[in-house]
Amino acid sequence: MRMIRWISSSLRAKLLALFIVLTTIPLIAVGLVSYQKSYESVSSHSKASSMLQAELLGRNIDNLFGDTERLLELSKNPAVIHFLFSQSETYQEAKEIIQTFSLYRDTYKYENVINISFVNLYGKGISERKGVFQLNINPMRNPHFQTLAQNPDTVLKIPPAMTSGYDRVDGFTYPGRGVISIMAAVKQRITHEVIGFIIVDLDDSFIKEFCSKVTIGKSGFFYILDPYNHPIYVPAVSPSDAELIGQIKLPDSADQGRNSFVLHTNGPPRFILHTTSLATGWTIVGMAPLQEVVAEANRIRQLIIVSVVLSIVFAITIHFFLTRRLTRPIQLLQHKMRLTASGYLEAKVKPAGNDEIADLGQSFNIMVEKIKALLEQSIREQQQLQKAELRTLQAQINPHFLYNTLDSMVWMAEAGKNDGVIQLVKALSQFFRLSLNQGRDWVLIRTELAHAQSYLIIQQMRYRDILGYEIQVEPELQEYPVLNMTLQPLIENALYHGIKNKRGMGMIRIGAHTEGKMTVVLTVTDNGIGIPAKRLELLRSQLEHPAAAEETEQSGGGFGLQNVHQRLRLYFGADYGISLDSEEGEWTRISVRIPKNRGTGREEGHAGR
């Protein structure tokens, strides 16, 4: 689930997943098809090659027997026929037959033939090893001779005995050696009557030699069975292989032909193949571990798997770097957009290249610049609007204030109070000079205090019986800047809404102190009628919401508090402005929080002077 969310939330993950799917699925499909086809092909070729080895062994045996059977032509020799037919022979006739044996040997180089013998129906015989001899038993009691007598055209291949010292029908023994005998009937030339038998004895060592020259796998071997599935030759094998040989069941030789199968045992599976020798009817059986026979197929399988895996890894690596190259500019653009959305308009993208993403980055930079320009324009317009509103209100207030002050001057002049008129004129002159401030918004606190003092002097002369004031501000704090016309509206609010409605002497105190290391707090405190709790809560709420300005003004809050509060927040931020505290019937305190910024104060304050 987490993987799905990650893929769905990332363009790079989507591209990477898409590339992997589009690449790995075809590679895996091609790999599986190639593996299946190649494994089957190579495996079948390996099995066919093993079968060819078995057939080669069979042909070698057949060829050897075919060459050896040429000795059967001796049965047509007149001297041999005369020897077998007659009851007596001369030394010369026997010598001639022996010389014929030697002639055949010299002609065909029969290295495996160890003896050639002839025996007639009465037990008289002649051989290379023994010369003329007479058997002690009736030859026709031998089953092989009986078979030849009944089937004179048949050639018998008698497998070797499994024990040494086997007594043969011709009377010869070969202790410690395996002998294969080829037997055929000798017929009279005219009547084709069987008159004897020829026996050719071969040393069976050629079978071992032939079997050792053909291989199957690395540890496989061939062994040979007679037509009755009795072992003729079995090489030296392990006990487990010898046990398997006894377990293998092959079909009868008549139905055998050539075939192969896999034998599943408790150990590794074995590949078994068998074919039949045409000349002897013997069965040639090969056995080897299946893994050895299909070793080449397994190597090809491993090669295909490794190739597919490496191709997939290579493709994923390439896709990883490609998606990173594609999505990296988009991620940078996304990061810059988030910074811009959070309010940081200095975020810029450095486009690289000339593609669509670079063009998008350039367009983003242009958009941010336009937003900044529009925002700055909006701020300037808002400031100008605030200034225009302030000056409009000042223009509305100043004529009324000026009218009242001039009216007081007239009254004092008529009363002969020349000193009071002079003092009032000086205070009024300084008040307007500081109010104008050459059109600038910033003054030092000491300048603002002088402006407030001029206003208080004028108002004290008008309300001498009810107004007193004190200004207590440390000289060090007077060097910080403040907006022009900050204190005068607050003093006016204290006078008209606090003291004027109070019986007895009223007092306005102006003070200042620091709050922390970064804030200066100016206070205007009066001992007037105070503000009821509900009214105080309403005023505090309206100070936080500019839309309540009209309600504040209509409900007696006056222009001053709202205007000064909004101006301070506009210039300094939401952490600064006006706060109200009051005790109904006792006192009211207005606090003005401004930041410490001595450098700005010196420049603007100097301009104010």
Side-chain angles (χ1 to χ4, degrees), residues 24-55:
T24 55
I25 289 180
L27 281 175
I28 292 174
V30 171
L32 289 175
V33 172
S34 300
Y35 159 71
Q36 188 66 26
K37 294 297 183 182
S38 61
Y39 185 85
E40 292 177 356
S41 177
V42 176
S43 177
S44 62
H45 285 315
S46 299
K47 294 177 180 179
S49 176
S50 300
M51 184 63 72
L52 288 176
Q53 294 290 332
E55 292 180 350

Side-chain angles (χ1 to χ4, degrees), residues 7 12-24 319 323:
I7 292 175
R12 182 184 182 187
K14 291 178 182 177
L15 290 175
L16 186 60
L18 179 63
F19 286 158
I20 290 175
V21 169
L22 293 179
T23 302
T24 55
H319 294 160
T323 53

Side-chain angles (χ1 to χ4, degrees), residues 478-544:
Q478 295 183 17
E479 299 302 316
Y480 290 102
V482 68
L483 287 173
N484 189 22
M485 291 290 288
T486 297
L487 294 178
Q488 185 271 331
L490 306 182
I491 296 171
E492 180 181 1
N493 188 80
L495 175 61
Y496 284 101
H497 297 286
I499 294 176
K500 191 175 180 180
N501 297 323
K502 171 184 171 64
R503 290 185 180 184
M505 191 63 180
M507 177 62 70
I508 296 177
R509 292 181 175 86
I510 301 174
H513 64 274
T514 59
E515 189 176 275
K517 296 182 179 181
M518 302 301 296
T519 303
V520 175
V521 181
L522 301 174
T523 59
V524 177
T525 308
D526 68 81
N527 61 349
I529 63 174
I531 305 173
K534 291 184 178 181
R535 174 67 178 163
L536 178 63
E537 192 66 29
L538 178 62
L539 288 173
R540 287 174 176 173
S541 176
Q542 291 171 343
L543 285 175
E544 295 300 320

Side-chain angles (χ1 to χ4, degrees), residues 187-312:
K187 295 176 288 184
Q188 208 277 337
R189 297 179 63 181
I190 298 175
T191 63
H192 300 289
E193 178 184 0
V194 175
I195 61 174
F197 308 96
I198 180 172
I199 303 102
V200 180
D201 295 331
L202 292 89
D203 189 344
D204 67 351
S205 62
F206 74 91
I207 298 178
K208 179 179 180 181
E209 180 182 355
F210 286 166
C211 290
S212 64
K213 289 181 180 180
V214 292
T215 58
I216 173 173
K218 292 183 178 179
S219 60
F221 57 89
F222 286 95
Y223 64 95
I224 300 176
L225 304 176
D226 65 13
Y228 305 101
N229 288 336
H230 297 149
I232 295 177
Y233 167 77
V234 178
V237 296
S238 64
S240 59
D241 287 336
E243 184 179 356
L244 286 177
I245 291 174
Q247 296 176 357
I248 296 174
K249 301 299 181 182
L250 299 177
D252 295 336
S253 59
D255 303 327
Q256 201 166 325
R258 51 178 290 184
N259 199 359
S260 63
F261 59 92
V262 176
L263 178 64
H264 294 281
T265 63
N266 295 330
R270 303 302 178 99
F271 176 69
I272 309 296
L273 60 89
H274 56 89
T275 186
T276 303
S277 169
L278 298 178
T280 62
W282 298 346
T283 301
I284 300 169
V285 184
M287 182 170 69
L290 179 64
Q291 291 300 321
E292 293 183 6
V293 176
V294 296
E296 188 65 27
N298 289 333
R299 282 193 291 271
I300 292 178
R301 177 183 62 184
Q302 294 172 357
L303 178 62
I304 291 174
I305 293 174
V306 171
S307 300
V308 170
V309 171
L310 290 179
S311 299
I312 292 174

